[in-house]
Structure formats: C-alpha cells, structure tokens
Amino acid sequence: MARTEGRETVRRQEHVDQERCFKALQHQFSLLQMEVQACTSPILHISEAGQEAPERPDVNLLESNGQSLASVHRRSSNQAEDNTGPPLSQIPRLEKLSDTEDVEHFLVTFERIAVACRWTKTDWVWHLIPLLTGKARVAYVNMDLNESTDYDKAKSAILKKYDVNTETYQQKFRSLSVDPSESPKELYNRLKELFGKWIQPKGKTVKEMSEILILEQYLRMLSPELQ
C-alpha cells in the first residue's frame, strides 16, 4: 500500500507539472495571437493633424496579459526605424502542407518567408503549427512538450518522420539526375544546398569535414558485401 501510494503521488506530481507546462504554452500562444492581430489589423483613426494613423494597442489589455507597454513601444520603434522589411499588406499568405508537396521545399519556403518578414526565431514554430498536416502534424504532436517550442527541434522531428537525414542529402548530392527545366545556376545552388545539409559544416573543423568525405569515398570503393 505504501508503494502504491508513492506511485500515485509521483503520478499526480507529473500530471501537475504537465498541466503547468501546457498552461504556460497556451499563455505564450495567446500572447503571440494578440501581437499578430495588433500588427496585422491596425485600427485607423483621424489624428489632430488630419492624417490617418494606426490606433495604439490597448494598454490595459496588454498589461493584463503580462506584456509591458515598454516592450511594445520598443518593438514599434524598431519597426518604424527599419523600413527595409516588406509592408504588412505584402506579407504572403502561407498555405498548409499538402500530401503531394515536398516537405523540404515547404520548410525552405517557410523559413525564407519568416526571414523576409523578420519574425523572431523563437516565434517561428507558432507560425508553423497551423500549416502542418498529415505526417508532419503527427510528428509535432508526438514531440516532448518541452521541445515542441523549439523550431529547429520541430523541424528535425518532421524531417525524421519523412525519413529525411544526412544520408538522403548525400545520395541526392551524388545523384547525376538533372531536371530538364533546371538551369545551370539552379543546379549549382541545389548542389550547394545539398552539400551543406549533408556535411553540416557549421561548427565542424576542416579535419572533421575531410573525414566525412574520405569515409564516403571509402565506402563507395568497397565491394557491395563490405558496404
């Protein structure tokens, strides 16, 4: 009975911890929704000078959700100073991942849009979640709750679900197939991207990258049985 009671206590504590994490996740998501809505749907009013200006977010509403007015003012100032980003009206509409679409192409397109729109990397996963369908959504749902807020880990889980790994990139890099509609420049860019995903040179020394190439060539030269 003592052991059973101890196990029940541990289970209850785990349940409380999971509920706390889930509520924190919900709170962060609600804050992100409010921020996106405030940025993409400004309410215009006539200023004293006779010009239209976006209405400022409700201070009480922001403060009631744990967001300080100072942080909103800093973001607004930074957006006003940075005129190189695309206007809100030109932000492309993101389509959901279809069953026939290449998951890598989908993620690359999403990342380039995120960079162009100057989204914070910590918020990428919140923009990605509503676009996931099928196996990609299953992969995300089955992630650990503490890792599900990290975009890079979510991306790795999705690619793993589709059996995409470094060996996949290596085989594509060594493949001699060329699409008839692919220009020489597009071919070069594709090989460059595949090489980077296969070798992953970031954080590796020249010796470590050399070992990968030597090992790959070594395996190709062996007999099929030894391979």
Side-chain angles (χ1 to χ4, degrees), residues 213-224 226-227:
L213 294 174
I214 294 171
L215 178 61
E216 188 255 355
Q217 183 64 21
Y218 171 74
L219 292 175
R220 292 178 65 189
M221 296 175 68
L222 293 176
S223 62
L226 287 177
Q227 288 179 13

Side-chain angles (χ1 to χ4, degrees), residues 112-141:
R112 292 183 179 180
I113 292 176
V115 171
C117 294
R118 302 186 183 280
W119 293 338
T120 306
K121 184 69 177 289
T122 54
D123 295 339
W124 284 16
V125 69
W126 306 117
H127 293 281
L128 178 67
I129 293 172
L131 308 177
L132 300 180
T133 60
K135 292 198 300 182
R137 181 175 288 275
V138 172
Y140 180 80
V141 170

Side-chain angles (χ1 to χ4, degrees), residues 42-208:
I43 303 175
L44 300 180
H45 65 91
I46 305 300
S47 63
E48 296 179 358
Q51 297 178 347
E52 291 186 349
E55 185 177 358
R56 292 182 178 276
D58 190 341
V59 176
N60 296 327
L61 182 62
L62 292 173
E63 290 180 345
S64 65
N65 286 276
Q67 189 174 18
S68 66
L69 181 61
S71 62
V72 177
H73 177 69
R74 283 195 299 270
R75 280 199 299 272
S76 300
S77 301
N78 292 336
Q79 290 175 356
E81 292 174 0
D82 188 1
N83 296 323
T84 60
L88 293 175
S89 60
Q90 295 183 6
I91 295 178
R93 181 174 178 270
L94 300 176
E95 300 290 341
K96 290 187 176 183
L97 175 64
S98 64
D99 295 336
T100 58
E101 188 173 3
D102 189 309
V103 67
E104 291 185 85
H105 291 177
F106 170 80
L107 291 173
V108 169
T109 303
F110 171 80
E111 291 172 2
R112 292 183 179 180
I113 292 176
V115 171
C117 294
R118 302 186 183 280
W119 293 338
T120 306
K121 184 69 177 289
T122 54
D123 295 339
W124 284 16
V125 69
W126 306 117
H127 293 281
L128 178 67
I129 293 172
L131 308 177
L132 300 180
T133 60
K135 292 198 300 182
R137 181 175 288 275
V138 172
Y140 180 80
V141 170
N142 290 334
M143 289 183 64
D144 183 85
L145 186 61
N146 296 325
E147 296 182 350
S148 62
T149 58
D150 188 303
Y151 173 78
D152 291 328
K153 292 181 180 179
K155 177 182 178 181
S156 298
I158 293 171
L159 291 177
K160 186 177 181 181
K161 191 71 174 178
Y162 282 83
D163 294 327
V164 178
N165 48 47
T166 54
E167 184 178 354
T168 305
Y169 299 128
Q170 182 264 336
Q171 292 176 355
K172 289 183 177 180
F173 179 81
R174 292 300 185 187
S175 174
L176 299 178
S177 61
V178 180
D179 192 298
S181 62
E182 191 174 38
S183 67
K185 185 176 181 179
E186 290 174 338
L187 173 60
Y188 172 80
N189 290 332
R190 179 166 65 87
L191 290 176
K192 184 177 180 180
E193 183 180 0
L194 289 172
F195 181 83
K197 291 180 178 180
W198 166 35
I199 301 296
Q200 298 178 1
K202 187 176 181 180
K204 286 187 173 69
T205 63
V206 175
K207 183 178 180 181
E208 289 172 335

Side-chain angles (χ1 to χ4, degrees), residues 1-8:
M1 291 176 63
R3 287 196 295 269
T4 302
E5 184 177 356
R7 287 195 295 269
E8 288 296 328

